[in-house]
Amino acid sequence: MGDNNHTYDAIVIGSGMSGGWAAKELCEKGLKTLVLERGRNVVHNKDYPTTNLKPWEFKHHGQLPYQVAKDNPIISKCYAFKEDAMHFFAKDKDHPYVQDKPFDWIKGYHVGGKSIMWARQTQRWSEFDFEGPARDGFAVDWPIRYKDLAPWYSHVEKFAGISGNKDGLDTLPDGEFLPSWELNCVEDHFKQTVSKAYSNRHVIYARCAHLTQPQPIHLEQGRGQCQARNLCQRGCPFGGYFNANSTTLPWAAKTGNLTLQPDAVVHSIIYDDAKGKATGVRVIDAKTKVFTDYFADIIFVNAGAINTNLILLNSVSKRFPNGLGNDNGLLGKYFAFHNYRARISATFTGFADRNAIGGRPTSAYIPRFRNVYTQETDFLRGYATSFWAGRSSETDYSGVGENLKQHLMAEPKLGPWKVGAGFMGETIPKETNQLSLDPTLKDEWGIPLLHFNVAYDDNDEKMIKDFFEQFTEMFEKAGFTDISTNDSHQAPGLDIHEMGGVRMGKDPASSLLNEWNQLHHCKNVFVTDGACMTSTSTQNPSLTYMALTARAANEAVEMRKRKEI
Amino acid sequence: MNRRTLLKTTLVFSAGSLLLPACLQNRKGKLSFTHFSLSADEEEMMAVLTERILPSTAFFGNKPINSHQFVLMMADECLDPEKQQSFVSGLKAFNKEAKVFGGSDFLSQQPADQTKFLESLEAQKELPTALVDFYPLTKRWTIEAFTTTQQYMENIRHYNMIPGPVYKGNVPI
């Protein structure tokens, strides 16, 4: 099939974390694939305008100008929305939505999506996560188990390049790892303290998508070793971390089978009542607003969890008046996220004669230890925790003139170690946590605005309380002092781990997608981004989206060969 | 009238005076800002003040850093309107405080006296209310203008954008 008549073998909606993987797998298998991206093109190493700018080259030395913050009250809450990376975030006023309950929607509308600015944490799910809903009686049972996904985790890890240690934990399965970064002495002290005091609590170095030792497959991608610049959100000139722009998309392009179309806002998926399947995608040119239809046998929806819900809800036909595949009315429901509200910090006066030198792109990690083997608390599930320690330093800014000058020219005085732990709580998907379309309000492209009815519940509050109690105890055992807890009370969304709304399940009556991420009622449409998630676990979810996508794409190719779709 | 009300009135008055044509007050400064304008004397005062806080010309090859330009640009572009108004009022109040301390306008004072005035401010437990949104920010940005120069970052702090993949977490000091 050619592209003159707007017809392809496959269409992928979205070019980010999971869309890039769909494109790579489908193109490698010989399918002529159109990737639709609503934003501008971002070419690796060409369109990273700030990547090599030094601190003194930023007009405001990295701070956000007031007008930018004022115009973007939502996106300004994101830690990465600073002078160096603000061009990679969609601006609030361009993309309005309706917050029936507060929700901070952080968006990256450009080729590569949020894979450019992500935090690069890549922990596998474990069997406990896939079994969770069935065992604990929430959401619906996952239609797959860890063993179904394990080979695909390996598949994406090898290609993306994941650093980590083989820690041998059943709560956090090992993978295909490049060498890990190391814990510093205080993190290691905490690790030793925790492992002595508790049988199932483990402090490890987090697995992350950084090339610590590039393999031939990475060099072939044109990527090099991570140089620990810690400026990843700008795009990396070395290709030292995984993003779609440096990794999956160029690989897909190299096959000659990829057509990448930026500035293509998807209106809906076209369903043909007579054929009983989806036949294509309706697209609005972001600039000219002209509509064009594109056609394909296979459609992958990877618009990012929220926009995937939006597109499916907006894909109405005679057969599906309430949104594509939505016979049971559950589309947009059971939407969930991660609870990132809680932090705890402290001081450690030990190791006063030690310091850490050099850069590190991530930090330590403590997998979930609550309610793993049995239900042991008054809340369901649990939390993973990021943990870090660093030596503080103090510069004396007192005085003026020569006095002050001398202070600034002196070496900063080393202070005590500071430690911190960040909470990543599993939230329980609920029918009441829902995305829906506004009946009248529309955006610049005539697409209905999305309503957010998403909130924390009592389970989340209890979990935060437990986190504070457990980590205060663990910190005290480690000899940390000045322990202080902080609940930011931030709205859902700022975790940027939005999931669900188009959940997978065994039964078409209670789920939208089957075990291959196909819509139960429209088998040639696959949803493999965050929208497909049945439950949320405690792990940063991107790696799981990648694995699910690669798995589904390869199966889709086989199904097409067998003429099942 | 209590002190708070008086302060508010002063602020409103100062803000109002900003709207007067520049020629009625003084010659306009060379620098232009979006949200306020300064007279040539006020601009000069900022240049001298930042120089007294941190004598930049004494550093790298006597090349001036012009910290006041950075300070005023940040005040213009990075402060919310309320803070910004308070900063500009504080700028004017600064000269008044200097006059009370040294008997003449800050600009007319000898450098040593200017420094003495700043030292007196630093020695106070609490700054005069009119200066709380002016002096600390001016000092912070003056320092930042200096510590973010290429010369300082590279030569004094050994800044390296590309540290390389080596991290050692347990190094004796």
Side-chain angles (χ1 to χ4, degrees):
Chain A
M1 294 195 210
D3 49 6
N4 286 339
N5 52 358
H6 297 166
T7 301
Y8 299 82
D9 297 329
I11 295 173
V12 178
I13 303 171
S15 65
M17 193 66 78
S18 63
W21 273 98
K24 172 192 170 285
E25 301 296 322
L26 296 170
C27 285
E28 271 188 313
K29 290 286 157 90
L31 270 62
K32 295 284 178 197
T33 303
L34 172 68
V35 172
L36 298 167
E37 165 53 52
R38 68 171 298 152
R40 69 183 187 280
N41 198 5
V42 172
V43 176
H44 175 59
N45 254 348
K46 180 169 161 274
D47 299 317
Y48 300 153
T50 58
T51 188
N52 286 320
L53 292 186
K54 308 280 173 39
W56 53 88
E57 292 175 305
F58 288 98
K59 185 179 180 192
H60 305 94
H61 294 179
Q63 286 179 55
L64 220 48
Y66 169 72
Q67 196 60 41
V68 176
K70 185 178 166 240
D71 289 344
N72 298 282
I74 298 163
I75 202 86
S76 293
K77 295 179 195 168
C78 175
Y79 67 96
F81 187 73
K82 294 278 171 355
E83 194 173 23
D84 68 335
M86 59 188 185
H87 50 287
F88 285 139
F89 292 85
K91 304 299 178 287
D92 290 353
K93 65 174 169 8
D94 298 336
H95 303 282
Y97 59 97
V98 186
Q99 300 182 58
D100 296 328
K101 289 174 187 153
F103 189 95
D104 295 323
W105 185 6
I106 309 299
K107 322 173 206 68
Y109 288 170
H110 46 256
V111 168
K114 288 176 292 204
S115 79
I116 295 180
M117 314 88 88
W118 70 311
R120 310 165 310 280
Q121 295 288 309
T122 43
Q123 329 302 327
R124 286 189 181 200
W125 276 37
S126 76
E127 189 65 351
F128 300 108
D129 299 312
F130 289 101
E131 285 177 358
R135 189 194 80 175
D136 292 345
F138 66 97
V140 287
D141 191 11
W142 277 85
I144 57 170
R145 287 292 182 268
Y146 176 70
K147 65 173 169 36
D148 299 309
L149 208 52
W152 295 100
Y153 274 131
S154 291
H155 178 81
V156 298
E157 283 167 347
K158 281 185 217 160
F159 189 80
I162 306 296
S163 77
N165 290 313
K166 297 221 183 250
D167 299 296
L169 305 175
D170 54 3
T171 46
L172 196 70
D174 292 331
E176 312 290 332
F177 295 145
L178 306 173
S180 177
W181 302 86
E182 66 178 48
L183 297 174
N184 63 42
C185 50
V186 173
E187 291 162 348
D188 191 57
H189 159 72
F190 188 57
K191 176 191 170 87
Q192 305 305 333
T193 304
V194 167
S195 76
K196 265 184 215 132
Y198 307 90
S199 61
N200 72 332
R201 302 187 187 186
H202 308 281
V203 181
I204 63 160
Y205 194 85
R207 291 89 188 256
C208 57
H210 286 261
L211 295 183
T212 48
Q213 198 177 87
Q215 300 301 300
I217 186 72
H218 308 122
L219 299 174
E220 202 180 332
Q221 294 163 20
R223 299 169 58 206
Q225 190 175 23
C226 171
Q227 300 296 314
R229 299 187 337 148
N230 278 347
L231 302 172
C232 315
Q233 69 280 1
R234 302 179 184 179
C236 180
F238 301 96
Y241 74 94
F242 170 90
N243 66 18
N245 312 66
S246 64
T247 308
T248 45
L249 291 172
W251 197 265
K254 230 162 48 173
T255 64
N257 293 324
L258 175 73
T259 304
L260 174 63
Q261 186 155 328
D263 297 315
V265 179
V266 170
H267 173 273
S268 56
I269 294 165
I270 304 161
Y271 184 80
D272 188 316
D273 287 323
K275 289 181 181 162
K277 63 176 192 172
T279 51
V281 178
R282 184 150 300 158
V283 170
I284 308 166
D285 186 296
K287 289 173 179 159
T288 65
K289 313 273 161 62
V290 171
F291 277 80
T292 310
D293 289 350
Y294 295 91
F295 304 98
D297 296 341
I298 294 173
I299 295 160
F300 266 71
V301 195
N302 300 88
I306 295 168
N307 277 316
T308 288
N309 275 276
L310 173 55
I311 289 168
L312 293 177
L313 284 165
N314 201 40
S315 300
V316 291
S317 56
K318 202 171 151 213
R319 166 70 184 83
F320 294 110
N322 300 314
L324 190 63
N326 190 20
D327 285 0
N328 55 25
L330 295 180
L331 179 59
K333 294 179 176 174
Y334 294 95
F335 189 81
F337 56 96
H338 279 153
N339 181 355
Y340 265 58
R341 275 169 37 191
R343 280 188 169 219
I344 178 164
S345 56
T347 300
F348 186 49
T349 51
F351 292 100
D353 60 344
R354 303 271 143 172
N355 202 357
I357 55 165
R360 233 179 14 167
T362 56
S363 63
Y365 185 88
I366 302 157
R368 175 165 75 99
F369 52 80
R370 274 304 200 197
N371 303 320
V372 174
Y373 304 104
T374 54
Q375 182 64 36
E376 59 190 8
T377 67
D378 64 346
F379 57 85
L380 282 181
R381 314 305 292 165
Y383 45 85
T385 309
S386 56
F387 175 74
W388 61 92
R391 193 85 198 248
S392 63
S393 69
E394 290 153 12
T395 301
D396 184 356
Y397 294 115
S398 68
V400 293
E402 283 304 313
N403 230 340
L404 176 59
K405 178 181 135 185
Q406 275 172 21
H407 295 154
L408 296 177
M409 300 300 267
E411 275 297 312
K413 203 175 130 229
L414 283 179
W417 289 82
K418 298 286 180 188
V419 300
F423 167 85
M424 300 181 274
E426 175 164 356
T427 69
I428 306 299
K430 299 180 289 279
E431 187 166 8
T432 48
N433 275 356
Q434 182 186 1
L435 305 182
S436 57
L437 299 186
D438 190 280
T440 49
L441 293 173
K442 292 193 159 75
D443 72 7
E444 197 187 323
W445 297 271
I447 293 171
L449 296 196
L450 208 49
H451 277 253
F452 285 73
N453 256 299
V454 180
Y456 296 102
D457 63 20
D458 192 42
N459 201 64
D460 301 319
E461 304 299 334
K462 285 179 181 162
M463 209 188 283
I464 288 175
K465 188 167 167 280
D466 185 70
F467 167 77
F468 285 149
E469 287 167 3
Q470 294 308 310
F471 271 78
T472 299
E473 183 184 287
M474 289 153 75
F475 275 20
E476 280 170 351
K477 282 185 200 293
F480 300 161
T481 54
D482 300 330
I483 298 170
S484 90
T485 58
N486 177 265
D487 180 348
S488 71
H489 294 285
Q490 68 188 40
L494 205 52
D495 43 291
I496 328 184
H497 287 181
E498 54 271 13
M499 286 175 259
V502 196
R503 69 182 179 188
M504 295 171 75
K506 291 172 175 163
D507 183 354
S510 58
S511 61
L512 278 302
L513 303 170
N514 68 12
E515 75 272 31
W516 297 109
N517 296 74
Q518 295 168 280
L519 281 174
H520 287 299
H521 299 301
C522 186
K523 291 274 190 330
N524 65 332
V525 173
F526 296 76
V527 176
T528 64
D529 62 11
C532 76
M533 303 297 274
T534 307
S535 62
T536 68
S537 177
T538 54
Q539 324 290 42
N540 307 64
S542 296
L543 183 75
T544 299
Y545 306 162
M546 297 188 217
L548 285 168
T549 303
R551 177 177 177 270
N554 280 274
E555 185 61 20
V557 171
E558 294 307 312
M559 288 174 176
R560 185 167 176 267
K561 276 188 206 157
R562 297 195 298 262
K563 305 215 181 297
E564 292 169 14
I565 51 172
Chain B
M1 191 185 280
N2 65 26
R3 188 176 155 74
R4 186 173 291 273
T5 319
L6 182 68
L7 180 70
K8 269 189 191 162
T9 314
T10 316
L11 284 178
V12 170
F13 177 75
S14 312
S17 70
L18 286 177
L19 300 174
L20 291 172
C23 58
L24 289 185
Q25 297 185 59
N26 199 340
R27 215 157 33 88
K28 201 179 163 305
K30 277 182 236 150
L31 302 174
S32 66
F33 307 100
T34 309
H35 301 101
F36 52 82
S37 69
L38 297 184
S39 70
D41 277 357
E42 287 166 339
E43 197 177 298
E44 177 65 12
M45 184 188 83
M46 286 303 292
V48 174
L49 166 58
T50 53
E51 191 60 25
R52 290 298 161 264
I53 291 173
L54 193 58
S56 65
T57 53
F59 289 114
F60 309 105
N62 283 336
K63 196 177 154 218
I65 291 169
N66 290 322
S67 309
H68 69 295
Q69 292 176 9
F70 178 72
V71 171
L72 292 168
M73 184 276 294
M74 291 296 277
D76 188 31
E77 298 185 13
C78 289
L79 292 183
D80 66 60
E82 201 182 325
K83 252 269 160 359
Q84 194 170 60
Q85 189 177 313
S86 188
F87 178 91
V88 177
S89 313
L91 188 152
K92 291 162 197 301
F94 178 83
N95 192 42
K96 285 183 199 148
E97 295 280 344
K99 220 166 173 173
V100 171
F101 183 84
S104 63
D105 283 336
F106 184 75
L107 270 181
S108 318
Q109 296 176 15
Q110 291 302 310
D113 294 332
Q114 291 168 336
T115 301
K116 261 186 209 153
F117 172 53
L118 297 185
E119 282 167 350
S120 82
L121 287 180
E122 299 258 330
Q124 289 176 30
K125 256 196 186 148
E126 280 180 29
L127 277 177
T129 317
L131 300 187
V132 291
D133 284 330
F134 171 70
Y135 182 72
L137 277 175
T138 298
K139 183 173 177 184
R140 190 186 114 194
W141 284 329
T142 301
I143 291 171
E144 196 185 306
F146 171 68
T147 56
T148 316
T149 56
Q150 181 172 5
Q151 294 88 332
Y152 180 85
M153 289 197 77
E154 287 183 349
N155 299 326
I156 310 299
R157 289 286 164 259
H158 314 293
Y159 170 79
N160 180 2
M161 189 184 219
I162 306 167
V166 181
Y167 176 87
K168 297 209 177 299
N170 191 358
V171 180
I173 49 174

